[in-house]
Amino acid sequence: MGAKWLNDVKWDAQGLVPVIAQDAHTGEVLMFAWMNREALDQTQRSGEAVYWSRSRRRLWRKGEESGHVQKVLEIRTDCDNDVILLRIEQVGGIACHTGRRSCFFNRLDDSGWNSVEPVIKDPEEIYK
């Protein structure tokens, strides 16, 4: 596969594109992150999610520390080519660094934001 497909993505001013990681079997949204061109290329080539860490300013292979790798089954783009959707299998069932299945565990109710998803594994045990 040539590199033309990478040129079709609408990268922002920083050379990034937003990415949604979705469980391919349940449809649950697990994570939001960013990719640069190299991260998207490596994701396509390896079949495992690679993101751009804005805080670390480097490529970040999901699961490199935790072992919670994301196996990529499909890469899609939205109608404007400015958002990527990864349909994935989440190894270990944990996508969030807080030890939860999904990063979207806070729900707004009358008292404010409340955690509605359990911690599957203590982050202290994940990140030694």
Side-chain angles (χ1 to χ4, degrees):
M1 177 185 298
K4 182 191 178 311
W5 67 274
L6 284 166
N7 295 333
D8 293 335
V9 174
K10 290 186 182 162
W11 306 97
D12 73 8
Q14 290 78 44
L16 301 175
V17 66
V19 183
I20 299 164
Q22 177 186 47
D23 185 295
H25 303 293
T26 68
E28 180 182 14
V29 174
L30 300 178
M31 228 179 80
F32 170 84
W34 296 90
M35 285 184 174
N36 63 7
R37 187 182 182 95
E38 185 179 358
L40 184 53
D41 186 45
Q42 283 189 26
T43 295
Q44 188 274 326
R45 290 174 188 267
S46 70
E48 294 183 353
V50 178
Y51 299 105
W52 175 256
S53 172
R54 294 181 306 164
S55 60
R56 299 178 204 152
R57 309 230 13 98
R58 69 170 176 83
L59 290 177
W60 156 52
R61 181 170 300 278
K62 177 66 178 158
E64 67 188 18
E65 294 176 38
S66 65
H68 300 141
V69 173
Q70 292 177 342
K71 303 266 185 210
V72 177
L73 304 184
E74 230 178 16
I75 301 174
R76 295 186 182 200
T77 187
D78 74 333
C79 55
D80 296 321
N81 286 353
D82 62 358
V83 177
I84 300 293
L85 174 69
L86 298 182
R87 295 186 39 82
I88 59 122
E89 286 180 354
Q90 181 63 60
V91 174
I94 296 173
C96 187
H97 75 280
T98 66
R100 291 174 174 87
R101 171 140 177 83
S102 169
C103 293
F104 296 94
F105 59 85
N106 287 316
R107 182 175 61 205
L108 183 61
D109 61 29
D110 291 340
S111 65
W113 294 105
N114 289 291
S115 175
V116 295
E117 301 294 333
V119 173
I120 296 168
K121 190 171 186 179
D122 186 332
E124 298 283 328
E125 295 176 36
I126 298 171
Y127 304 100
K128 299 192 185 322

